[in-house]
Amino acid sequence: MTEPLTRRERRAAARATASRVLTPAVRRWAYGVAVAAIGVAVFAGWIPATASPVALPLIMALLYVDDSGEPR
């Protein structure tokens, strides 16, 4: 039977997975999809138009990066 992973080992494994999944290219793609989804949601009436000025800067802060992964 193997020993359970320590907290440090679990965090290191989670960071390694996140670094493969959250590459700058994936984040740029997700940014485009999220911004388009906000526009569609406002148009369809799923969220009020007053929510977009709040949601779009949040999405931009999380996902809008250049090729090196630095915020634009």
Side-chain angles (χ1 to χ4, degrees):
M1 205 159 132
T2 62
E3 293 183 30
L5 295 176
T6 64
R7 183 175 182 195
R8 180 174 291 175
E9 292 168 335
R10 286 191 312 265
R11 279 188 291 163
R15 282 191 193 111
T17 301
S19 68
R20 285 192 310 264
V21 173
L22 293 177
T23 63
V26 171
R27 289 176 66 186
R28 283 192 308 273
W29 173 83
Y31 170 76
V33 170
V35 169
I38 292 291
V40 169
V42 169
F43 179 76
W46 298 332
I47 63 172
T50 56
S52 65
V54 176
L56 291 175
L58 176 63
I59 292 169
M60 183 181 256
L62 294 174
L63 300 174
Y64 195 58
V65 295
D66 62 12
D67 290 336
S68 67
E70 294 297 317
R72 286 190 186 180

